[in-house]
Amino acid sequence: MPSSKEKLPGESYCFACGPENPIGLHLDFRFDAEKYVAEKTLPHEYQSYEGVVHGGIITTMLDEAMGGYLYSSGERAVTARLDVRYRKTTPVGEKLIITGWEEGRRGHFVNMKATIALADGTVTAEGSAKMALVD
């Protein structure tokens, strides 16, 4: 199972997970078996139209679930390719469960998957990414 890694100086301002970023998402992930999971209820400041989370914010949360998984496992990676499928509208003001996991590796690339789901398990968005490992 991956281990958790502390943030390096300056990384506490990450828009997605940085605790010191005043306008950030403040996502707080943890490992649950082989998956990287966070729960978040977004306020209306992150909506596009009434009651619906903006697609860019959804993409950011999926990307963080995949890249953060590797970072917290002690590996540095950048997103080389990212695909998002919006399956349903994602509501503001409701608990969301963001989950990321590793699918496989080939050379310096890691294939990742992530989902955003409602508390009842309904998946509203899913992502897949090819992450490039860097030194």
Side-chain angles (χ1 to χ4, degrees), residues 88-123:
K88 295 182 169 280
T89 57
T90 301
V92 295
E94 289 188 33
K95 182 169 81 170
L96 305 174
I97 302 161
I98 306 111
T99 306
W101 65 94
E102 183 179 325
E103 285 280 293
R105 292 173 180 248
R106 186 170 183 178
H108 291 286
F109 292 99
V110 183
N111 294 317
M112 302 293 298
K113 296 280 187 179
T115 59
I116 296 175
L118 304 177
D120 69 3
T122 302
V123 174

mmCIF file of all heavy atoms in Angstrom, residues 88-123:
data_model
loop_
_atom_site.group_PDB
_atom_site.id
_atom_site.type_symbol
_atom_site.label_atom_id
_atom_site.label_comp_id
_atom_site.label_asym_id
_atom_site.label_seq_id
_atom_site.Cartn_x
_atom_site.Cartn_y
_atom_site.Cartn_z
ATOM 1 N N LYS A 88 -23.121 12.906 -15.285
ATOM 2 C CA LYS A 88 -24.311 13.595 -14.749
ATOM 3 C C LYS A 88 -23.845 14.938 -14.212
ATOM 4 O O LYS A 88 -22.655 15.130 -13.990
ATOM 5 C CB LYS A 88 -24.925 12.796 -13.594
ATOM 6 C CG LYS A 88 -25.491 11.455 -13.975
ATOM 7 C CD LYS A 88 -26.116 10.808 -12.738
ATOM 8 C CE LYS A 88 -26.914 9.609 -13.120
ATOM 9 N NZ LYS A 88 -28.230 9.913 -13.629
ATOM 10 N N THR A 89 -24.760 15.839 -13.956
ATOM 11 C CA THR A 89 -24.352 17.087 -13.309
ATOM 12 C C THR A 89 -23.887 16.770 -11.894
ATOM 13 O O THR A 89 -24.424 15.891 -11.221
ATOM 14 C CB THR A 89 -25.509 18.100 -13.274
ATOM 15 O OG1 THR A 89 -26.626 17.521 -12.610
ATOM 16 C CG2 THR A 89 -25.908 18.541 -14.675
ATOM 17 N N THR A 90 -22.878 17.505 -11.464
ATOM 18 C CA THR A 90 -22.339 17.356 -10.113
ATOM 19 C C THR A 90 -22.848 18.534 -9.295
ATOM 20 O O THR A 90 -22.545 19.686 -9.623
ATOM 21 C CB THR A 90 -20.799 17.331 -10.152
ATOM 22 O OG1 THR A 90 -20.370 16.231 -10.979
ATOM 23 C CG2 THR A 90 -20.209 17.170 -8.764
ATOM 24 N N PRO A 91 -23.625 18.271 -8.260
ATOM 25 C CA PRO A 91 -24.249 19.366 -7.520
ATOM 26 C C PRO A 91 -23.331 20.047 -6.508
ATOM 27 O O PRO A 91 -22.477 19.396 -5.901
ATOM 28 C CB PRO A 91 -25.404 18.674 -6.792
ATOM 29 C CG PRO A 91 -24.919 17.274 -6.596
ATOM 30 C CD PRO A 91 -24.066 16.960 -7.786
ATOM 31 N N VAL A 92 -23.505 21.345 -6.333
ATOM 32 C CA VAL A 92 -22.869 22.040 -5.221
ATOM 33 C C VAL A 92 -23.722 21.757 -3.982
ATOM 34 O O VAL A 92 -24.896 21.392 -4.082
ATOM 35 C CB VAL A 92 -22.752 23.567 -5.459
ATOM 36 C CG1 VAL A 92 -21.834 23.879 -6.614
ATOM 37 C CG2 VAL A 92 -24.104 24.209 -5.661
ATOM 38 N N GLY A 93 -23.110 21.886 -2.813
ATOM 39 C CA GLY A 93 -23.847 21.729 -1.569
ATOM 40 C C GLY A 93 -24.135 20.298 -1.162
ATOM 41 O O GLY A 93 -24.837 20.080 -0.172
ATOM 42 N N GLU A 94 -23.609 19.313 -1.879
ATOM 43 C CA GLU A 94 -23.788 17.910 -1.508
ATOM 44 C C GLU A 94 -22.428 17.253 -1.359
ATOM 45 O O GLU A 94 -21.479 17.611 -2.058
ATOM 46 C CB GLU A 94 -24.584 17.154 -2.580
ATOM 47 C CG GLU A 94 -26.038 17.547 -2.636
ATOM 48 C CD GLU A 94 -26.839 16.644 -3.565
ATOM 49 O OE1 GLU A 94 -26.520 15.444 -3.669
ATOM 50 O OE2 GLU A 94 -27.775 17.169 -4.189
ATOM 51 N N LYS A 95 -22.337 16.279 -0.459
ATOM 52 C CA LYS A 95 -21.073 15.578 -0.249
ATOM 53 C C LYS A 95 -20.684 14.812 -1.507
ATOM 54 O O LYS A 95 -21.481 14.064 -2.064
ATOM 55 C CB LYS A 95 -21.161 14.615 0.935
ATOM 56 C CG LYS A 95 -19.833 13.908 1.197
ATOM 57 C CD LYS A 95 -19.814 13.154 2.501
ATOM 58 C CE LYS A 95 -20.485 11.820 2.338
ATOM 59 N NZ LYS A 95 -20.304 10.936 3.498
ATOM 60 N N LEU A 96 -19.436 15.044 -1.932
ATOM 61 C CA LEU A 96 -18.866 14.348 -3.083
ATOM 62 C C LEU A 96 -17.741 13.456 -2.593
ATOM 63 O O LEU A 96 -17.011 13.813 -1.664
ATOM 64 C CB LEU A 96 -18.313 15.345 -4.095
ATOM 65 C CG LEU A 96 -19.280 16.405 -4.602
ATOM 66 C CD1 LEU A 96 -18.543 17.408 -5.481
ATOM 67 C CD2 LEU A 96 -20.447 15.775 -5.338
ATOM 68 N N ILE A 97 -17.594 12.310 -3.220
ATOM 69 C CA ILE A 97 -16.507 11.396 -2.901
ATOM 70 C C ILE A 97 -15.614 11.304 -4.131
ATOM 71 O O ILE A 97 -16.051 10.858 -5.194
ATOM 72 C CB ILE A 97 -17.043 10.014 -2.488
ATOM 73 C CG1 ILE A 97 -17.969 10.179 -1.284
ATOM 74 C CG2 ILE A 97 -15.890 9.056 -2.180
ATOM 75 C CD1 ILE A 97 -18.896 9.034 -1.039
ATOM 76 N N ILE A 98 -14.374 11.769 -3.974
ATOM 77 C CA ILE A 98 -13.413 11.796 -5.069
ATOM 78 C C ILE A 98 -12.424 10.659 -4.828
ATOM 79 O O ILE A 98 -11.834 10.580 -3.749
ATOM 80 C CB ILE A 98 -12.673 13.150 -5.132
ATOM 81 C CG1 ILE A 98 -13.681 14.310 -5.187
ATOM 82 C CG2 ILE A 98 -11.734 13.212 -6.325
ATOM 83 C CD1 ILE A 98 -13.717 15.140 -3.965
ATOM 84 N N THR A 99 -12.258 9.783 -5.822
ATOM 85 C CA THR A 99 -11.430 8.596 -5.655
ATOM 86 C C THR A 99 -10.483 8.447 -6.836
ATOM 87 O O THR A 99 -10.903 8.557 -7.989
ATOM 88 C CB THR A 99 -12.319 7.335 -5.568
ATOM 89 O OG1 THR A 99 -13.288 7.526 -4.538
ATOM 90 C CG2 THR A 99 -11.496 6.087 -5.262
ATOM 91 N N GLY A 100 -9.216 8.169 -6.550
ATOM 92 C CA GLY A 100 -8.223 7.928 -7.587
ATOM 93 C C GLY A 100 -7.478 6.633 -7.326
ATOM 94 O O GLY A 100 -7.301 6.237 -6.178
ATOM 95 N N TRP A 101 -7.031 5.965 -8.409
ATOM 96 C CA TRP A 101 -6.279 4.722 -8.263
ATOM 97 C C TRP A 101 -5.418 4.484 -9.494
ATOM 98 O O TRP A 101 -5.658 5.036 -10.566
ATOM 99 C CB TRP A 101 -7.199 3.539 -7.994
ATOM 100 C CG TRP A 101 -8.141 3.207 -9.118
ATOM 101 C CD1 TRP A 101 -7.942 2.297 -10.126
ATOM 102 C CD2 TRP A 101 -9.429 3.786 -9.364
ATOM 103 N NE1 TRP A 101 -9.033 2.283 -10.969
ATOM 104 C CE2 TRP A 101 -9.962 3.189 -10.520
ATOM 105 C CE3 TRP A 101 -10.186 4.771 -8.718
ATOM 106 C CZ2 TRP A 101 -11.196 3.529 -11.048
ATOM 107 C CZ3 TRP A 101 -11.416 5.116 -9.245
ATOM 108 C CH2 TRP A 101 -11.912 4.495 -10.383
ATOM 109 N N GLU A 102 -4.420 3.641 -9.300
ATOM 110 C CA GLU A 102 -3.505 3.286 -10.385
ATOM 111 C C GLU A 102 -4.057 2.098 -11.157
ATOM 112 O O GLU A 102 -4.508 1.121 -10.566
ATOM 113 C CB GLU A 102 -2.132 2.941 -9.810
ATOM 114 C CG GLU A 102 -1.101 2.625 -10.851
ATOM 115 C CD GLU A 102 0.266 2.311 -10.275
ATOM 116 O OE1 GLU A 102 0.650 2.913 -9.243
ATOM 117 O OE2 GLU A 102 0.952 1.454 -10.857
ATOM 118 N N GLU A 103 -3.978 2.194 -12.484
ATOM 119 C CA GLU A 103 -4.432 1.108 -13.355
ATOM 120 C C GLU A 103 -3.280 0.267 -13.880
ATOM 121 O O GLU A 103 -3.436 -0.920 -14.104
ATOM 122 C CB GLU A 103 -5.209 1.679 -14.549
ATOM 123 C CG GLU A 103 -6.597 2.143 -14.195
ATOM 124 C CD GLU A 103 -7.580 0.999 -14.106
ATOM 125 O OE1 GLU A 103 -7.881 0.375 -15.135
ATOM 126 O OE2 GLU A 103 -8.039 0.716 -12.987
ATOM 127 N N GLY A 104 -2.128 0.874 -14.127
ATOM 128 C CA GLY A 104 -0.994 0.132 -14.656
ATOM 129 C C GLY A 104 0.148 1.062 -15.015
ATOM 130 O O GLY A 104 0.018 2.284 -14.972
ATOM 131 N N ARG A 105 1.286 0.449 -15.380
ATOM 132 C CA ARG A 105 2.491 1.206 -15.706
ATOM 133 C C ARG A 105 3.149 0.650 -16.953
ATOM 134 O O ARG A 105 3.078 -0.545 -17.214
ATOM 135 C CB ARG A 105 3.507 1.128 -14.570
ATOM 136 C CG ARG A 105 3.072 1.846 -13.326
ATOM 137 C CD ARG A 105 4.035 1.588 -12.179
ATOM 138 N NE ARG A 105 3.576 2.310 -11.005
ATOM 139 C CZ ARG A 105 4.197 3.331 -10.463
ATOM 140 N NH1 ARG A 105 5.356 3.729 -10.944
ATOM 141 N NH2 ARG A 105 3.693 3.957 -9.423
ATOM 142 N N ARG A 106 3.826 1.564 -17.639
ATOM 143 C CA ARG A 106 4.647 1.162 -18.771
ATOM 144 C C ARG A 106 5.772 2.183 -18.880
ATOM 145 O O ARG A 106 5.528 3.352 -19.196
ATOM 146 C CB ARG A 106 3.827 1.120 -20.044
ATOM 147 C CG ARG A 106 4.605 0.573 -21.204
ATOM 148 C CD ARG A 106 3.724 0.325 -22.378
ATOM 149 N NE ARG A 106 4.536 -0.270 -23.432
ATOM 150 C CZ ARG A 106 4.078 -0.650 -24.577
ATOM 151 N NH1 ARG A 106 2.798 -0.503 -24.845
ATOM 152 N NH2 ARG A 106 4.872 -1.161 -25.474
ATOM 153 N N GLY A 107 6.969 1.743 -18.601
ATOM 154 C CA GLY A 107 8.109 2.652 -18.614
ATOM 155 C C GLY A 107 7.932 3.746 -17.576
ATOM 156 O O GLY A 107 7.651 3.480 -16.416
ATOM 157 N N HIS A 108 8.068 4.994 -18.023
ATOM 158 C CA HIS A 108 7.936 6.140 -17.114
ATOM 159 C C HIS A 108 6.522 6.712 -17.098
ATOM 160 O O HIS A 108 6.314 7.842 -16.650
ATOM 161 C CB HIS A 108 8.932 7.240 -17.511
ATOM 162 C CG HIS A 108 10.352 6.859 -17.244
ATOM 163 N ND1 HIS A 108 10.884 6.822 -15.982
ATOM 164 C CD2 HIS A 108 11.341 6.464 -18.084
ATOM 165 C CE1 HIS A 108 12.138 6.435 -16.048
ATOM 166 N NE2 HIS A 108 12.444 6.207 -17.320
ATOM 167 N N PHE A 109 5.562 5.945 -17.592
ATOM 168 C CA PHE A 109 4.175 6.411 -17.616
ATOM 169 C C PHE A 109 3.311 5.544 -16.718
ATOM 170 O O PHE A 109 3.462 4.320 -16.668
ATOM 171 C CB PHE A 109 3.618 6.394 -19.040
ATOM 172 C CG PHE A 109 4.269 7.405 -19.935
ATOM 173 C CD1 PHE A 109 5.285 7.021 -20.804
ATOM 174 C CD2 PHE A 109 3.892 8.735 -19.886
ATOM 175 C CE1 PHE A 109 5.897 7.958 -21.619
ATOM 176 C CE2 PHE A 109 4.503 9.678 -20.698
ATOM 177 C CZ PHE A 109 5.510 9.287 -21.570
ATOM 178 N N VAL A 110 2.386 6.191 -16.016
ATOM 179 C CA VAL A 110 1.455 5.494 -15.137
ATOM 180 C C VAL A 110 0.044 5.824 -15.600
ATOM 181 O O VAL A 110 -0.303 7.000 -15.753
ATOM 182 C CB VAL A 110 1.631 5.927 -13.661
ATOM 183 C CG1 VAL A 110 0.704 5.142 -12.758
ATOM 184 C CG2 VAL A 110 3.086 5.780 -13.226
ATOM 185 N N ASN A 111 -0.755 4.809 -15.831
ATOM 186 C CA ASN A 111 -2.157 4.999 -16.199
ATOM 187 C C ASN A 111 -2.984 5.055 -14.925
ATOM 188 O O ASN A 111 -2.916 4.151 -14.090
ATOM 189 C CB ASN A 111 -2.641 3.867 -17.100
ATOM 190 C CG ASN A 111 -1.934 3.892 -18.438
ATOM 191 O OD1 ASN A 111 -1.753 4.938 -19.028
ATOM 192 N ND2 ASN A 111 -1.527 2.730 -18.903
ATOM 193 N N MET A 112 -3.750 6.132 -14.795
ATOM 194 C CA MET A 112 -4.542 6.375 -13.593
ATOM 195 C C MET A 112 -6.022 6.510 -13.956
ATOM 196 O O MET A 112 -6.360 6.853 -15.088
ATOM 197 C CB MET A 112 -4.079 7.670 -12.904
ATOM 198 C CG MET A 112 -2.613 7.716 -12.507
ATOM 199 S SD MET A 112 -2.158 6.556 -11.211
ATOM 200 C CE MET A 112 -3.162 7.139 -9.850
ATOM 201 N N LYS A 113 -6.866 6.274 -12.961
ATOM 202 C CA LYS A 113 -8.321 6.465 -13.092
ATOM 203 C C LYS A 113 -8.802 7.234 -11.869
ATOM 204 O O LYS A 113 -8.212 7.156 -10.789
ATOM 205 C CB LYS A 113 -9.057 5.124 -13.147
ATOM 206 C CG LYS A 113 -8.735 4.266 -14.334
ATOM 207 C CD LYS A 113 -9.493 4.720 -15.544
ATOM 208 C CE LYS A 113 -9.265 3.720 -16.668
ATOM 209 N NZ LYS A 113 -9.961 4.064 -17.856
ATOM 210 N N ALA A 114 -9.929 7.929 -12.026
ATOM 211 C CA ALA A 114 -10.545 8.645 -10.909
ATOM 212 C C ALA A 114 -12.033 8.811 -11.169
ATOM 213 O O ALA A 114 -12.473 8.825 -12.326
ATOM 214 C CB ALA A 114 -9.894 10.017 -10.724
ATOM 215 N N THR A 115 -12.780 8.929 -10.089
ATOM 216 C CA THR A 115 -14.215 9.199 -10.186
ATOM 217 C C THR A 115 -14.616 10.243 -9.159
ATOM 218 O O THR A 115 -13.947 10.432 -8.141
ATOM 219 C CB THR A 115 -15.072 7.936 -9.938
ATOM 220 O OG1 THR A 115 -14.789 7.431 -8.627
ATOM 221 C CG2 THR A 115 -14.831 6.862 -10.991
ATOM 222 N N ILE A 116 -15.735 10.894 -9.446
ATOM 223 C CA ILE A 116 -16.433 11.723 -8.466
ATOM 224 C C ILE A 116 -17.817 11.112 -8.346
ATOM 225 O O ILE A 116 -18.487 10.867 -9.357
ATOM 226 C CB ILE A 116 -16.518 13.190 -8.909
ATOM 227 C CG1 ILE A 116 -15.111 13.795 -9.009
ATOM 228 C CG2 ILE A 116 -17.398 14.000 -7.947
ATOM 229 C CD1 ILE A 116 -15.064 15.203 -9.558
ATOM 230 N N ALA A 117 -18.219 10.840 -7.116
ATOM 231 C CA ALA A 117 -19.516 10.209 -6.884
ATOM 232 C C ALA A 117 -20.263 10.941 -5.778
ATOM 233 O O ALA A 117 -19.668 11.597 -4.920
ATOM 234 C CB ALA A 117 -19.332 8.740 -6.503
ATOM 235 N N LEU A 118 -21.574 10.808 -5.813
ATOM 236 C CA LEU A 118 -22.422 11.304 -4.734
ATOM 237 C C LEU A 118 -22.373 10.307 -3.579
ATOM 238 O O LEU A 118 -21.885 9.177 -3.735
ATOM 239 C CB LEU A 118 -23.857 11.467 -5.234
ATOM 240 C CG LEU A 118 -24.035 12.369 -6.460
ATOM 241 C CD1 LEU A 118 -25.497 12.379 -6.907
ATOM 242 C CD2 LEU A 118 -23.550 13.778 -6.163
ATOM 243 N N ALA A 119 -22.902 10.688 -2.440
ATOM 244 C CA ALA A 119 -22.886 9.817 -1.263
ATOM 245 C C ALA A 119 -23.591 8.490 -1.513
ATOM 246 O O ALA A 119 -23.230 7.467 -0.926
ATOM 247 C CB ALA A 119 -23.505 10.540 -0.068
ATOM 248 N N ASP A 120 -24.575 8.473 -2.422
ATOM 249 C CA ASP A 120 -25.293 7.223 -2.718
ATOM 250 C C ASP A 120 -24.552 6.331 -3.711
ATOM 251 O O ASP A 120 -25.046 5.279 -4.110
ATOM 252 C CB ASP A 120 -26.714 7.511 -3.205
ATOM 253 C CG ASP A 120 -26.762 8.169 -4.585
ATOM 254 O OD1 ASP A 120 -25.702 8.366 -5.229
ATOM 255 O OD2 ASP A 120 -27.883 8.495 -5.026
ATOM 256 N N GLY A 121 -23.351 6.777 -4.152
ATOM 257 C CA GLY A 121 -22.554 5.980 -5.080
ATOM 258 C C GLY A 121 -22.720 6.339 -6.541
ATOM 259 O O GLY A 121 -22.003 5.821 -7.396
ATOM 260 N N THR A 122 -23.642 7.222 -6.868
ATOM 261 C CA THR A 122 -23.848 7.640 -8.254
ATOM 262 C C THR A 122 -22.622 8.394 -8.755
ATOM 263 O O THR A 122 -22.248 9.424 -8.185
ATOM 264 C CB THR A 122 -25.081 8.550 -8.379
ATOM 265 O OG1 THR A 122 -26.225 7.851 -7.903
ATOM 266 C CG2 THR A 122 -25.303 8.991 -9.820
ATOM 267 N N VAL A 123 -21.982 7.889 -9.802
ATOM 268 C CA VAL A 123 -20.806 8.536 -10.371
ATOM 269 C C VAL A 123 -21.268 9.665 -11.295
ATOM 270 O O VAL A 123 -22.049 9.447 -12.210
ATOM 271 C CB VAL A 123 -19.930 7.524 -11.139
ATOM 272 C CG1 VAL A 123 -18.793 8.223 -11.864
ATOM 273 C CG2 VAL A 123 -19.390 6.457 -10.190
#
